[in-house]
Structure formats: structure tokens, C-alpha cells
Amino acid sequence: MHDKLDPENLDPLRPGPPGVKAMNCHFDYLFARLQELVPGKRIVLLTDSNLAGLYTAAFSGHHLISFPAGESNKNQQTVDQVIRELIRMEAGKDTVLVGVGGGVVTDITGFVAAVYMRGIPFGLVPTSILAMVDAAIGGKNGIDVGIYKNLLGTIRQPGFVVYDYSFLNTLPVSEWVNGFAEVIKHACIRDANLFAMLERYSLHDFQGNLVLTAELVEKNVAIKSAVVHLDEFEKGERKILNFGHTIGHAIENLVGMPHGHAISIGMTAACNLSEKMGGLHFEEAKKVIRLLAKYHLPVDMEADHEKVFDVIRMDKKREGEDLNFILIDKIGHAFIMPLALETLRHHLKEIL
Amino acid sequence: MHDKLDPENLDPLRPGPPGVKAMNCHFDYLFARLQELVPGKRIVLLTDSNLAGLYTAAFSGHHLISFPAGESNKNQQTVDQVIRELIRMEAGKDTVLVGVGGGVVTDITGFVAAVYMRGIPFGLVPTSILAMVDAAIGGKNGIDVGIYKNLLGTIRQPGFVVYDYSFLNTLPVSEWVNGFAEVIKHACIRDANLFAMLERYSLHDFQGNLVLTAELVEKNVAIKSAVVHLDEFEKGERKILNFGHTIGHAIENLVGMPHGHAISIGMTAACNLSEKMGGLHFEEAKKVIRLLAKYHLPVDMEADHEKVFDVIRMDKKREGEDLNFILIDKIGHAFIMPLALETLRHHLKEIL
């Protein structure tokens, strides 16, 4: 999968295919060989202050823009700053913007590349588990406005995604934990074998074995890509990726909790609701919750149910429809359950 | 052409076709009947302070967002303000954002609708000649960053465009003049008959006769639509719409001149260059310049040629290519002339 990128894919107005095909997804590829993917093009790296500090040598020789690390900077001010720097560098349509970092970096990169000069080519080098298995795949980008996550954004596929697993050597353990929430989500909604693999190993096993982790990441990329490929614009099937996210996003915003933690609590609530309304056996619900806990993810919190409900309500306004709640009827199979908002309100205290 | 809009076209993720087809372009349609185009949808009008003041009665009964009038407000601050108001209104994907105004309003509308919640449906009601014949057609939107025009933007087609010519009754004469620059451009690049029609009548004739103006607008919409339809993403043919714009945009930015005036001076320079390098007969060049002057457009200015050149150079960075200058070899036929930047620099003093 180290083939050169089809140059057509770098055309900003003919972005890559949805999901990831071998053509634009480069597993186990050395970051140092980035330029070979886009011969003759000018690369501008976009990263955050943490990575800029850790990888000074690796990034040297590239044009570099870095912004302060942290989810709280995934906003318009950061976008404005990046755009000012692009102008200063005289970046144009001959420029490929390459985001190197976690989900905040990949989101900012996709959004800036979508709007700068009505679209320039971009690629992603995810450096966290979360970005590798989720944020870098599928083309959604977004920035937050106040408490509303990803309120602004577009859907536009990257020209390429590069996986250099050596970046994981500097990933803090808290970020490993954060990323495994999405990994467990993929297992719950689509892959009982992956679920069994996660039961067999521990976080410690993955951290100590990048070959095993690479296998895990590639399984997850395949799951997400397959779903996105079926339904790029989230008319149906893609919604199952929101398992745990309806409640998760709301508490993430309200409490400022890491995404993975919030999603873990959201998945716990979704399992509880699946038991009530979705035909999930209580032993299976328990297994999910045990697995989350095993990967050091929280499964419980003190919540202000009314506030959570209010954020969900506004969130759902985005869809222009009643709530579509994602439930599972067994480990490895999710489905969409249309739910009146009032029904959710009614159950919220019991499930969260 | 008063058919109801195909609801598919209002799907934010399946925008209308490029250019304008009968299906989504509604000529001579009463603004008061806007809701009939999108039955059951929630409309939010977006307009500027001038129109909000003039059309209070017409807009009442709609959700309304207005921002201060003027090209200097076509920027991120205005976008931020509009987005705050959309949040306050709890606008979601069930909302159709309808821009009512000139080119600034149509550009802001398209851009906000492209990024809010990863895309909501939008429609346009152009109220100026410029917006009717140009800005509302073709899906380009944009906001300015400092002196760089349309540095941020996307290409996304509106769900519908409504032509209610009664809005022209309040259009200031300076805006009639502004709009006719694009009308003359269309004649120069594509339609000798339209050019003859413009020679036959005067601005005064059009202002006094909305039936004649409607005929003119519809001819122009047809010209621009046909070009855009061939080449939505400006790989080739669409570039001819940039006739007069390479130099025009640069002086518009530097001097803060109205768009039409700047384009008129740009077209004059492009005719001069067409005479030098494009085989345009000098009598034809004179005819263009005479027509511009007849419609009260400036054809000359004191320019700082080095500064103009610098802005063009940065502008061209956007294309990632050498300059593609648009020339005409006769009235009604334009072509693309690749030009080294240095060649333009060399000629600039003689043509501008």
C-alpha cells in the first residue's frame, strides 16, 4: 500500500473517495517519506504545540504552522490564525496542507483546506489512536462554537492518510485510553471478533506492541471506512457510528470531559437503553461495560439530566428530525431506533 | 418556470445542479410566495441593513437576520454574527437560509450555509443587477480576508434562485452602473447580439422598463449558466468569466473601488492587451471602451503598477499556475491566454 498517490486525488475539487481505499491510505508509512506522496507539490504541515515541541527534527525542512494544543482551541480563532499564516507563506492551490496530530489537528486541517481559496488539497497524518481509527477517516471536519461541538464544518475527503505508528511512542497514556473508546465502539456496532480481541488483550499489551496495535488500527480503519463508503453523507447507515455519541457529546460539552471518556459514559447509557428497548441481553450489556472499565474508561457520572437533555435537543436540531438513537441488539450489531425526544427525556435518569 | 422546487434540490448534501436550470431558477416570481417553494420548511432570511430598512413589511412574518450593508462587511466577523444568530434561533437542518440582497448578501449566505452544521439548504433572492446576473449564479461564495477578495469560500449550488424584479425599484443608480459592468462582460465574451442590444439602449432605458430589464437579466443568466454548466469547478471554460477580473480584482482591493468600476477598468486593460497580443481589431477595442463609458463606467485610472502587480501575483498563487489571462479576439468571443507573470508586468504600464 505504498503506491504513489494518484495525483487526481490531490485535486482539491476532486477529493479522494469516501472512506479509505488502499490508494489513499498508507499504512506503516514513514513520515519522513511524505514528500514522495506529492512529488513537486509544496507541503505545509499543520500541527499543535505539543507535537511541534516533540518532533522538531522530524518537521524541520517543512513549512510549519502550529497552534496551541487542546480541544478548547478547536475554534474559529485558531482557524483565523492558520489562515493568516497561510497568507503570509503565500500558500496557494499548489500547496498541500498536511495535518499531523490528533483529532483537533485533523479537524482543523480538513476545515481550513475546505474553505481556503475555495479548497486546497490536504492530507492527514494521525498521531493518536483516536485520530488513527476515527477522526482521520470519513472526511468530516469541524470546529466548535461555544458549547456546540463541530457546529461549523464540511464533509470533504483527504487526498491521503499516512499511518506512521512511531508517533504512538510519545502518545500519553491518557490519550491511549481516550482512543480506545472509539475502538470499543467499532467492536460493539460491527465486529464481535474485534470485541473478543479486546477482551483477550489489555491496554498495556497494545502500548507495548506496535505490531499488535497496527493490526488493531487497520481493523478499525476497515470498519469505519466500510460504513462511510456505504453512506458518505450520513443519510442512514453512517449514523451507527454515533453509538454512544448522542449522550456522549452532550456531556463532553457540558463537563469538558475528554471525548473518549464522554463516549464511554454515552455507550454505557446506550447499552442500558438497548437492554430496555433494543432486545440486548443484560449479560451482553454487562460485558460491554466491563470492557470499557478494563480499558480504564469511566462508565458512570453525576449528571444534570435536564442540562444534558437541553444540549441533546439542540444537537438534534441539526438533523432536522426526531432523535435517531443508536442501539445494539447484540455485541457486533447496531441499529437505528427513532425515538421521540420526550421518550429519551423520560428514560434519561434511569440510563445515565 | 414557477414549478415547485424538487425537494431533492433542497437537500444540503445534494445541492442543485451547477448553473441554473428552469427547475431551480424562478424568473418573475413574487417574493411574497417564497414559502411555496419550500413547503413545510423553516425559512430564515439573511439580508443587509439597507434592505431590512426598505422592506420591513415584506420581510415581516419571516425569521430575519440582517448585518451592516457594504462590501467591507463581507468578512469573518459578519459570518460569526450570522452564526450566533442562527444558534440563537435554534436553526437546524430543517432550516432553509435565504439570502435576499446584492452580491455581499448572496456570498455570505452561500458560505454560511456551506459550513453551518456541515451544510444546510439555501436559496437566493438577488436584488441588484450584479447579484441577478452574476453573484447568485454558479455557486461560488466567498468572504474577504484583509485585502484578499474571496480568500475563503466554497463552491456549492443554491437550492433555488428567485427573481422578483420589483426589488430593482429601490436599487440606487450607482448600483445599476455597477451591475452593468458584468452585463457588458458577458456580451464581450459570449454574445455579440447582447452587445448590440446594449449599444441600442441606454442605462436610462433599462431603469425605466423592468420588462426590458427582465429580458436582459434572463439573457445574462443563460450565458453565465451555460458557462458554469460546462465547467463547475473552473478547470477551463469557466475561466473566461474572469475577463477584466485579473486586473480588476487587484485594483478593487487596493483602491476600495466598487466592483463594477474596477472590472470596467480591468476590461479596458484586457482589451488593450487583446489588441496587442490577441488579434483584436483596434476598432472593436474602441467599441468596448465606448460602451463601458456609455454606461457610466470608468475606463481609466491612475494606478500604482507595482502594487497592482503584487496583488495579481498573490491572487494567482491561488491557481497554482501561471497566469491565465482572458483575452477577446472579437466582440462575443473570449479565449484563455497563458501568460508568464513577467510578461504581464512588462505590459502593465502600457495597458493600464
Side-chain angles (χ1 to χ4, degrees):
Chain A
M1 304 220 181
H2 292 187
D3 316 25
K4 278 204 185 155
L5 185 63
D6 177 350
E8 281 298 301
N9 260 340
L10 280 175
D11 185 316
L13 300 162
R14 294 179 62 180
V20 171
K21 294 185 175 165
M23 190 169 60
N24 68 352
C25 196
H26 302 259
F27 294 115
D28 232 330
Y29 187 95
L30 282 178
F31 175 77
R33 294 179 51 201
L34 193 60
Q35 187 72 62
E36 292 173 33
L37 293 177
V38 287
K41 294 269 181 180
R42 184 187 188 200
I43 290 174
V44 172
L45 299 183
L46 181 57
T47 193
D48 72 17
S49 50
N50 287 345
L51 287 152
L54 287 165
Y55 292 96
T56 315
F59 297 164
S60 75
H62 285 293
H63 301 276
L64 179 72
I65 300 175
S66 100
F67 61 85
E71 174 80 25
S72 63
N73 297 307
K74 205 178 90 166
N75 57 25
Q76 187 65 47
Q77 287 90 296
T78 300
V79 169
D80 291 344
Q81 179 215 324
V82 172
I83 282 162
R84 277 194 305 273
E85 300 222 31
L86 287 171
I87 294 171
R88 196 181 52 72
M89 290 173 173
E90 301 192 0
K93 290 202 164 176
D94 54 345
T95 299
V96 184
L97 189 64
V98 179
V100 186
V104 174
V105 170
T106 59
D107 266 21
I108 295 267
T109 303
F111 186 62
V112 168
V115 300
Y116 185 70
M117 293 182 174
R118 298 202 179 101
I120 61 170
F122 77 108
L124 299 174
V125 184
T127 62
S128 70
I129 297 288
L130 184 82
M132 286 182 181
V133 303
D134 188 18
I137 310 300
K140 282 192 182 177
N141 58 57
I143 59 173
D144 306 336
V145 179
I147 62 164
Y148 300 107
K149 292 202 46 82
N150 301 319
L151 190 87
L152 305 185
T154 70
I155 297 182
R156 187 159 170 271
Q157 304 302 327
F160 60 82
V161 186
V162 157
Y163 288 82
D164 181 336
Y165 299 109
S166 70
F167 281 108
L168 294 175
N169 289 321
T170 57
L171 190 69
V173 62
S174 60
E175 285 303 317
W176 282 83
V177 172
N178 206 18
F180 269 74
E182 299 289 355
V183 170
I184 294 170
K185 180 193 80 179
H186 287 150
C188 287
I189 62 173
R190 270 285 188 136
D191 194 336
N193 290 333
L194 173 60
F195 195 92
M197 180 188 180
L198 292 165
E199 289 185 312
R200 203 157 58 242
Y201 295 105
S202 71
L203 191 65
H204 193 258
D205 295 331
F206 289 107
Q207 284 184 274
N209 185 343
L210 288 189
V211 174
L212 186 67
T213 299
E215 187 196 323
L216 182 82
V217 166
E218 286 160 42
K219 272 184 204 296
N220 277 271
V221 171
I223 292 170
K224 179 155 185 189
S225 301
V227 173
V228 171
H229 192 67
L230 286 172
D231 174 27
E232 182 176 13
F233 292 117
E234 200 167 318
K235 298 293 173 197
E237 185 68 6
R238 187 168 181 166
K239 291 184 203 289
I240 69 168
L241 295 170
N242 293 329
F243 181 62
H245 281 60
T246 303
I247 290 172
H249 266 163
I251 58 182
E252 181 177 0
N253 297 356
L254 282 171
V255 189
M257 188 182 271
H259 182 72
H261 289 210
I263 293 324
S264 176
I265 293 168
M267 284 191 281
T268 304
C271 282
N272 291 337
L273 197 62
S274 296
E275 216 186 301
K276 274 182 187 296
M277 309 179 66
L280 182 68
H281 195 281
F282 78 97
E283 282 293 351
E284 294 250 294
K286 259 197 213 161
K287 276 173 77 173
V288 175
I289 295 167
R290 260 202 309 269
L291 190 68
L292 291 166
K294 178 181 169 187
Y295 282 86
H296 313 301
L297 286 158
V299 293
D300 209 351
M301 73 174 287
E302 286 295 308
D304 180 333
H305 296 96
E306 277 307 304
K307 279 195 183 161
V308 170
F309 179 75
D310 281 347
V311 179
I312 291 172
R313 197 172 54 86
M314 177 63 193
D315 222 48
K316 284 306 118 183
K317 278 270 173 186
R318 302 186 192 193
E319 314 299 326
E321 59 189 23
D322 272 347
L323 202 57
N324 281 309
F325 210 93
I326 310 306
L327 301 181
I328 57 176
D329 51 13
K330 62 180 181 188
I331 288 168
H333 185 259
F335 64 101
I336 304 171
M337 165 82 100
L339 203 66
L341 274 167
E342 279 310 312
T343 310
L344 178 67
R345 181 180 226 151
H346 173 73
H347 286 298
L348 205 54
K349 274 188 196 160
E350 300 150 38
I351 63 172
L352 174 64
Chain B
M1 303 217 183
H2 292 187
D3 316 28
K4 278 204 183 154
L5 185 64
D6 177 349
E8 281 299 301
N9 260 340
L10 279 175
D11 184 315
L13 300 162
R14 294 179 62 180
V20 171
K21 296 185 176 166
M23 189 170 60
N24 68 352
C25 197
H26 302 259
F27 294 116
D28 232 331
Y29 186 94
L30 282 178
F31 175 76
R33 295 179 51 201
L34 193 60
Q35 187 72 62
E36 292 173 32
L37 292 176
V38 286
K41 294 269 181 180
R42 184 187 187 199
I43 289 175
V44 172
L45 300 183
L46 181 57
T47 192
D48 72 17
S49 50
N50 288 345
L51 287 152
L54 287 165
Y55 292 95
T56 315
F59 296 165
S60 75
H62 284 293
H63 301 277
L64 180 72
I65 301 174
S66 101
F67 61 85
E71 174 80 25
S72 64
N73 296 308
K74 205 178 91 165
N75 58 26
Q76 187 64 47
Q77 287 91 297
T78 300
V79 170
D80 291 344
Q81 180 215 325
V82 172
I83 283 163
R84 276 193 305 272
E85 300 222 32
L86 287 171
I87 294 172
R88 197 181 50 73
M89 291 174 172
E90 300 193 0
K93 290 202 164 176
D94 54 344
T95 300
V96 184
L97 189 65
V98 178
V100 187
V104 174
V105 170
T106 59
D107 265 20
I108 296 266
T109 303
F111 186 62
V112 168
V115 301
Y116 185 71
M117 293 184 173
R118 298 203 179 101
I120 60 170
F122 76 108
L124 299 173
V125 185
T127 62
S128 70
I129 297 288
L130 184 82
M132 286 182 181
V133 303
D134 188 19
I137 309 300
K140 280 192 183 179
N141 57 59
I143 59 173
D144 306 337
V145 179
I147 61 165
Y148 301 107
K149 293 203 43 82
N150 301 319
L151 189 87
L152 304 186
T154 70
I155 298 182
R156 187 158 171 271
Q157 304 303 327
F160 60 82
V161 186
V162 157
Y163 288 82
D164 181 337
Y165 299 111
S166 70
F167 281 108
L168 294 175
N169 289 320
T170 57
L171 190 70
V173 62
S174 60
E175 285 303 317
W176 281 84
V177 172
N178 206 18
F180 269 74
E182 298 290 355
V183 171
I184 294 171
K185 181 193 79 178
H186 286 150
C188 287
I189 62 172
R190 271 283 187 135
D191 194 337
N193 290 331
L194 174 61
F195 195 92
M197 180 186 180
L198 292 165
E199 289 185 313
R200 200 156 62 242
Y201 296 104
S202 70
L203 191 65
H204 194 259
D205 295 331
F206 288 106
Q207 283 185 275
N209 185 343
L210 287 189
V211 174
L212 186 67
T213 299
E215 186 194 323
L216 182 82
V217 166
E218 286 161 42
K219 273 183 202 297
N220 277 271
V221 170
I223 292 170
K224 178 154 184 188
S225 301
V227 173
V228 172
H229 193 67
L230 285 172
D231 174 27
E232 182 176 12
F233 292 117
E234 199 167 319
K235 298 293 172 196
E237 184 69 5
R238 186 168 182 166
K239 291 184 203 289
I240 68 168
L241 295 170
N242 293 330
F243 181 62
H245 282 58
T246 303
I247 290 172
H249 266 163
I251 59 182
E252 181 178 1
N253 297 356
L254 282 172
V255 190
M257 186 183 272
H259 182 71
H261 288 209
I263 295 322
S264 177
I265 293 168
M267 283 191 282
T268 305
C271 282
N272 291 337
L273 196 62
S274 296
E275 215 185 303
K276 274 182 186 296
M277 308 180 65
L280 182 69
H281 194 281
F282 79 96
E283 282 293 351
E284 294 250 295
K286 258 197 214 162
K287 276 173 76 174
V288 175
I289 295 166
R290 260 203 309 270
L291 190 68
L292 291 166
K294 178 180 170 189
Y295 282 86
H296 313 301
L297 287 158
V299 292
D300 208 352
M301 72 174 286
E302 287 294 310
D304 179 333
H305 295 95
E306 277 307 304
K307 279 196 184 162
V308 171
F309 179 75
D310 280 346
V311 179
I312 291 173
R313 196 172 55 85
M314 177 62 193
D315 222 47
K316 284 305 118 185
K317 278 270 174 187
R318 301 186 193 194
E319 313 300 326
E321 60 189 22
D322 271 349
L323 201 57
N324 281 309
F325 210 92
I326 310 305
L327 300 180
I328 57 176
D329 50 14
K330 62 180 180 189
I331 288 168
H333 185 258
F335 64 100
I336 304 170
M337 165 81 101
L339 202 65
L341 273 167
E342 278 311 312
T343 310
L344 178 67
R345 180 180 227 151
H346 173 73
H347 286 297
L348 205 54
K349 274 189 197 159
E350 301 149 39
I351 63 172
L352 174 64

